[in-house]
Amino acid sequence: MARPDELTFAPLGGVGEIGMNLSIYGIGNRHQRSWLAVDLGVSFGDEEHLPGIDLIMPDVRFLEKERNNLMGLVLTHAHEDHFGAIIDLWPKLKCPIYATQFSAALFEAKCAAERNPPKIPVTVVPSGGRVHLGPFNVEFIPVAHSIPESHALAIHTSAGTVLHTGDWKIDPTPIIGLPTDERRLRELGDAGVLALIGDSTNAVRDGRSPSETEVAATITKLVKAAKGRVAVTTFASNVARLKAVADAAKVAGREIVVVGRAMERVVQVARECGYLNGVQNFRGADLYGHFPPDKVLALCTGSQGEPRAALARIADESHPEITLTRGDRVVFSSRTIPGNEKPVNRIINGLVRQGIEVFTDRNELVHVSGHPRRAELEDMYRWVRPQIAIPVHGEALHLHEHAELARRLGVKQVIECQDGDLIRLAPGRAGIIDEVPSARMYKDGRVLVEAEARTVPERRRLAFAGVVSVALVVTAQGELAADPELRLTGIPERDADGEPMAEIAYAAVVDTFKSLPRPHRRDPGAVAESLGRAVRSTLAAHWDKKPVCHVHVLTV
Ligand SMILES: [Zn+2]
Ligand SMILES: [Zn+2]
């Protein structure tokens, strides 16, 4: 008798880090599996550790190899950490993509904004609807989050049902979109759920998240009390928040001016999808100056301190249209994502220095997270009662706290895993059975590079200690045909005693060359190596740092 099909799960991104989510589910045996991919997101590089790298994404070489067995890519929602890598990576996979209306529309708008707009087809599935993909039957269950149309996926298979929660929270009054579908989740629990693969982001936080409605009330209070201009910054994709700000402006008799392309794009998509029905029309940034200070509110991008976004330019007074002065108000209706503290604080300090009042989630309830705290996680486990729990979407601490909570709630099998682990969910006892290739890719300008490639470490070394370039021409007799040329970049002019570094390096080149035995002087490789070593160690003796050194030797 043939063995029953195995149901497996492997995270290829998003476990051990927040960002670049990619999960795959397999049905079959070790010789042949059909795959389902869930989400394909990015995370963001930080300037300090990854100079010049904007985006980090999962390596999809495994799925690329398995492309013929890949039934499709299903999107839980349209946050960048869940769909931001599709434009770059889909050409390697070319699989069908399934998403609900808002996610599909936002993706289309994102593609249209590219330099060469790619054509990537997305099939629209209704909220609450299902798609059949080979052995997988995927059901989209509405959950509250911080963007319209976030979905948990109930993945029904012959080996059991898995609930892939996606990003979710419980908010009975989410302002926009459907609340988390408790009734359907309970039904699934009654019918029997094999495994819950779920969001760990806020598993370290006790209690419940406040509602979007409470945030809206605070924003209204702050806007009403303002005497001068008001600017509010938030995540562009948080349409409920945009509506809350619009409603606050209406109450206070202010026009809304939208500043920043990402925000304009979301507003347009949200209007197309009917999420801003009844909300007043917004104005373009060009009209900002036409309104009296107490009759305008600027809704801006840049809550994470992005240097090219609207808020950073307003704060350093370089925005062509939007200006603020003493007594005006800026509301950060956002959380600073770890890693972005420095640029955000730079903006806040810039504003405070100009006498502008700044409100953040540190002093007012102007933001709530879109992820479940512990009491919400407990509700979910009580509704769904899974046999297996696998924490994902978190750093090590979040994952571990989530695992402990699941154990405490009586989940029989709790599996703590890492990116690249292949986990058997059924039949038999669940556990890690294999590894699948997983890694990171960096988006460097328009090019994708492997994280292990030399590019970034080299760049860090250049940033740390600069570079010396040496060029010399050696004659047939093994003499220098001319004075060597040296160029020092990113190196101090003088050492601690005031001696010019260029002269120190020059002397090291000439002395070392002369010390080489004549037969060696005609060997460019050997000369380059000796001179490079000499320059580096001589400068290190004067400076305590070793620069990169490039030596170019020509023989005539
Ligand atoms: Zn999300
Ligand atoms: Zn997420």
Side-chain angles (χ1 to χ4, degrees), residues 115-413:
R115 192 187 318 214
N116 297 309
K119 287 211 168 41
I120 304 177
V122 176
T123 304
V124 174
V125 182
S127 271
R130 291 185 180 221
V131 280
H132 299 265
L133 300 170
F136 305 97
N137 182 299
V138 185
E139 177 185 356
F140 287 67
I141 301 171
V143 289
H145 184 41
S146 45
I147 187 171
E149 296 183 18
S150 196
H151 294 90
L153 303 174
I155 303 169
H156 304 281
T157 74
S158 58
T161 294
V162 176
L163 184 72
H164 183 102
T165 70
D167 293 3
W168 66 281
K169 66 182 281 192
I170 295 173
D171 185 345
T173 50
I175 296 189
I176 272 182
L178 300 167
T180 298
D181 192 349
E182 175 182 343
R183 190 190 57 81
R184 182 62 191 139
L185 291 166
R186 282 180 186 275
E187 275 173 14
L188 287 174
D190 293 342
V193 168
L194 175 67
L196 182 151
I197 296 294
D199 185 351
S200 309
T201 316
N202 277 346
V204 295
R205 301 185 70 176
D206 276 325
R208 291 174 185 279
S209 324
S211 169
E212 272 299 326
T213 306
E214 294 170 63
V215 172
T218 314
I219 292 174
T220 303
K221 176 189 84 178
L222 293 174
V223 173
K224 267 170 80 178
K227 303 223 160 34
R229 298 183 183 88
V230 179
V232 180
T233 183
T234 186
F235 301 102
S237 59
N238 194 333
V239 180
R241 200 66 58 76
L242 305 187
K243 181 175 187 304
V245 175
D247 291 348
K250 200 174 193 176
V251 169
R254 289 173 184 262
E255 295 281 346
I256 294 253
V257 163
V258 176
V259 199
R261 268 198 303 269
M263 195 79 85
E264 288 166 9
R265 196 192 303 159
V266 173
V267 166
Q268 195 189 339
V269 170
R271 286 205 189 274
E272 281 164 20
C273 295
Y275 284 114
L276 293 174
N277 286 349
V279 171
Q280 72 269 38
N281 282 329
F282 300 161
R283 313 294 190 134
D286 51 322
L287 290 175
Y288 177 82
H290 293 260
F291 301 111
D294 63 343
K295 292 281 177 269
V296 68
L297 184 153
L299 193 49
C300 314
T301 54
S303 67
Q304 297 306 309
E306 304 92 323
R308 290 183 295 269
L311 192 65
R313 299 169 67 201
I314 296 169
D316 70 13
E317 301 175 84
S318 68
H319 197 281
E321 282 136 350
I322 312 297
T323 53
L324 294 172
T325 50
R326 179 167 296 279
D328 291 343
R329 279 188 169 187
V330 172
V331 179
F332 282 78
S333 184
S334 56
R335 180 185 74 106
T336 303
I337 294 170
N340 294 339
E341 292 88 351
K342 276 188 197 168
V344 170
N345 287 339
R346 201 175 304 138
I347 290 177
I348 292 177
N349 285 320
L351 294 168
V352 169
R353 265 198 301 272
Q354 294 175 56
I356 292 159
E357 269 188 292
V358 176
F359 299 88
T360 70
D361 65 346
R362 275 172 294 191
N363 49 22
E364 291 281 358
L365 183 59
V366 287
H367 179 68
V368 282
S369 161
H371 301 275
R373 296 190 190 174
R374 299 161 81 99
E376 294 162 83
L377 285 168
E378 286 168 14
D379 282 351
M380 178 65 94
Y381 278 102
R382 271 187 219 109
W383 298 340
V384 175
R385 290 151 278 154
Q387 296 169 39
I388 305 163
I390 304 181
V392 297
H393 204 287
E395 295 170 358
L397 176 68
H398 312 121
L399 301 170
H400 186 65
E401 294 269 325
H402 182 172
E404 292 285 298
L405 178 137
R407 281 190 197 102
R408 251 198 329 276
L409 293 173
V411 180
K412 289 205 185 66
Q413 303 179 67

Side-chain angles (χ1 to χ4, degrees), residues 528-549:
E529 202 186 319
S530 306
L531 297 190
R533 213 180 309 126
V535 168
R536 283 159 53 77
S537 62
T538 307
L539 287 184
H542 286 256
W543 182 34
D544 276 0
K545 283 179 148 194
K546 277 189 178 176
V548 173
C549 185

Side-chain angles (χ1 to χ4, degrees), residues 21 81-82 167 393:
N21 294 287
D81 61 321
H82 296 259
D167 293 3
H393 204 287

